[in-house]
Amino acid sequence: MDFILRLLQFIVKIVYNIVYVILTVILPRKKNEHIPTIKDKLLTIPLVEIIQLMRTKRLTSQQLVKAYIERIKEVNPHINAVVQDRFEEALADAKRADDLIFKCANSQLSQLYARYPLLGIPFTVKESCGLKGMSFVVGSLQRDGMKAQRDSIPVENLKSAGAIPLLVSANPEYCFSIETNSYTNGKCLNPYDARRTCGGSSGGEGALNGSGSTLFGIGSDIAGSIRIPSLFNGVFGHKPTGGLIPNTEVFPSCDSEECNQYLQTGVISRFGSDLGLILHIMAGENARKLEFVHPIETKDIKIYYLLGFSGLNGILHHGVTADIQIAILKAVKCLQQSGLTTEIAKIKGLENSTEIAFSGIARLRQLPLLMSEDTSVKHLLIELVKSYCKKSKYTKEGLTFELLRRTNAFMTPEKLIKYKEEGQKLKEEIINVLGNDGVLFFPTFPVPAIHHHTSSLAQWAIDYSLLFNVLGLPCTHIPMGLDSDGLPVGFQIVAAPFKDKLCLQVAGALEMAFGGWTTPVKHEFA
């Protein structure tokens, strides 16, 4: 372990524990009562069923797109998740899709859907994931007015499959935070509790999905940026195997091999059963690496689990809440009763998880910086102080992340190399444990949705998620209902490289067993 890094981590843990308790007492949970109830049953139907309705001409794209546009319009004033919409264009796209479907004879529909498997299906896109012609500001005053010059690869693949983008959603400055609060778009609110954040950096997508305002959304994940918002908003989120999907037109990104392993575009959805189809289309030609054509039965998957970090590493970390640990144990017991083999994982290499994870981020030299490259740490600290006084053009969350990178995560260059080697050994150890048919249940984050403006303290626990970016392993966050405060809880499922289908298979099984997404407010349709 690195003494300085761990001393800082422990100090921050103590401070955050105190802050968390104080805020919980002073700001007791206040349900986001202004979130409108869902009155249209159409908004509760999974993608796979929607496609069947459209193929049999019992539902039109225009009906579906209008329903989601209306939902977004009534919900967004209460969550502030939309950066820029393209509703008029989407309705025109939907009409073209309907024309294609209704002009096609029933005998030819299979051929049409083979070419356009998502024909007429609406979806939403995280602003940083590149939707041509739409805002590409990524929460930064320095990028004000910027537009995406082309679609990112996954967005392009989805559009080529006939899907219709509705909007680009909010993310924090440069995506450098686990809460979504920027000077360009303001604060994005959690649909379950307005006093807490929706997470980050795919916070807008998390809030839209959690409030039932999108069928599915595209996000990016370099340190938990899909999985943490999925936890905070009670939905499913999948980060694919490192390197599966190119990062072209995704911000921030770089050409280094490590960056392409860590940063992955993925999917957020209320419906675990939809993840496989969406990922298959997003991955394009690389989908063959996932071997979806060779399905695996849930009963043939081995379950390994951990309730958090152990030993000294666990003491130094913020502890995992009882409700999240119980969620893991409930899932394990359910699958055990279904005949699956389950056991506590024995992984020695996790003892230096913080060093392995943080050093990985520190090594990303080519990743864009908030401030000019020649900015000194002293100047950065001054700017950080100014940001707390709201006198800086940069957010305190972005500057805190920047400080971590500029200081090599408070480690020497030699330590960065050392922990890179340890990370490679840990990856090999996990792969050996899981094999071709095993998955690991592990906390996504130690606590449910955090309070606004506390991410600079809470992000010291991001190695629960970041570690698996650095290792390049696929992960799926699973929602498991609400805790005693009414906040969503859940955990992530981890598999060996390109064994994403194992995560998704278990996600589907647990969705059937526990119900998956729990709406923030009760539905009001007949």
Side-chain angles (χ1 to χ4, degrees), residues 76 80-85 127 135-137 167-171 185:
N76 192 58
N80 190 36
V82 179
V83 174
Q84 183 183 1
D85 70 68
E127 184 192 19
S135 175
F136 205 43
V137 171
L167 55 82
V168 289
S169 61
N171 38 226
N185 199 66

Side-chain angles (χ1 to χ4, degrees), residues 218-229:
I218 303 307
S220 59
D221 190 316
I222 196 171
S225 291
I226 286 174
R227 288 157 289 157
I228 292 174

Side-chain angles (χ1 to χ4, degrees), residues 271-335:
F271 310 108
S273 57
D274 292 340
L275 296 175
L277 173 60
I278 301 167
L279 178 61
H280 186 272
I281 293 171
M282 286 174 58
E285 294 182 357
N286 284 342
R288 56 184 172 76
K289 298 180 181 179
L290 302 175
E291 299 181 336
F292 283 141
V293 293
H294 303 295
I296 186 170
E297 297 289 336
T298 304
K299 65 180 178 62
D300 296 324
I301 300 175
K302 297 177 182 177
I303 308 298
Y304 299 88
Y305 65 96
L306 289 169
L307 302 181
F309 297 115
S310 59
L312 179 59
N313 193 22
I315 293 172
L316 295 172
H317 274 84
H318 192 292
V320 179
T321 64
D323 288 300
I324 291 177
Q325 292 184 338
I326 290 170
I328 295 175
L329 293 173
K330 284 170 59 179
V332 169
K333 184 177 181 180
C334 171
L335 296 174

Side-chain angles (χ1 to χ4, degrees), residues 167-226:
L167 55 82
V168 289
S169 61
N171 38 226
E173 183 179 35
Y174 273 41
C175 297
F176 288 171
S177 178
I178 59 170
E179 71 175 292
T180 298
N181 183 12
S182 70
Y183 290 139
T184 58
N185 199 66
K187 186 188 301 179
C188 191
L189 307 179
N190 189 297
Y192 293 83
D193 185 344
R195 300 186 183 192
R196 302 197 184 224
T197 178
C198 60
S201 62
S202 306
E205 286 305 318
L208 287 168
N209 278 272
S211 61
S213 303
T214 179
L215 192 51
F216 68 91
I218 303 307
S220 59
D221 190 316
I222 196 171
S225 291
I226 286 174

Side-chain angles (χ1 to χ4, degrees), residues 142-186:
Q142 301 178 92
R143 295 171 59 85
D144 189 37
M146 290 188 68
K147 305 287 184 181
Q149 298 302 303
R150 56 162 292 182
D151 292 324
S152 63
I153 297 297
V155 170
E156 181 181 309
N157 289 339
L158 288 167
K159 289 171 68 175
S160 296
I164 300 171
L166 298 179
L167 55 82
V168 289
S169 61
N171 38 226
E173 183 179 35
Y174 273 41
C175 297
F176 288 171
S177 178
I178 59 170
E179 71 175 292
T180 298
N181 183 12
S182 70
Y183 290 139
T184 58
N185 199 66

Side-chain angles (χ1 to χ4, degrees), residues 19-154:
V19 169
Y20 189 86
V21 170
I22 292 174
L23 290 177
T24 302
V25 173
I26 295 177
L27 300 175
R29 180 181 183 261
K30 182 179 181 180
K31 187 175 180 180
N32 201 335
E33 298 172 349
H34 299 294
I35 294 292
T37 60
I38 293 178
K39 300 180 178 65
D40 189 341
K41 192 173 183 179
L42 183 59
L43 299 174
T44 67
I45 302 176
L47 170 63
V48 289
E49 295 181 25
I50 288 288
I51 292 173
Q52 187 58 30
L53 289 172
M54 293 181 66
R55 289 187 66 163
T56 54
K57 300 182 180 180
R58 289 179 289 167
L59 174 68
T60 68
S61 175
Q62 290 174 86
Q63 289 173 323
L64 183 63
V65 169
K66 285 178 181 177
Y68 273 103
I69 288 176
E70 289 174 7
R71 178 65 179 169
I72 292 165
K73 286 182 176 179
E74 66 177 0
V75 168
N76 192 58
H78 310 295
I79 60 174
N80 190 36
V82 179
V83 174
Q84 183 183 1
D85 70 68
R86 58 180 304 276
F87 292 158
E88 291 186 10
E89 297 91 336
L91 287 169
D93 292 340
K95 184 179 184 306
R96 284 190 287 270
D98 288 336
D99 289 343
L100 270 177
I101 295 170
F102 281 88
K103 287 178 182 178
C104 192
N106 290 340
S107 60
Q108 298 174 316
L109 280 175
S110 295
Q111 185 177 354
L112 178 66
Y113 273 91
R115 183 176 180 183
Y116 303 111
L118 295 181
L119 183 59
I121 299 295
F123 70 105
T124 51
V125 183
K126 178 182 181 181
E127 184 192 19
S128 68
C129 290
L131 177 58
K132 184 178 179 179
M134 300 293 284
S135 175
F136 205 43
V137 171
V138 196
S140 171
L141 292 173
Q142 301 178 92
R143 295 171 59 85
D144 189 37
M146 290 188 68
K147 305 287 184 181
Q149 298 302 303
R150 56 162 292 182
D151 292 324
S152 63
I153 297 297

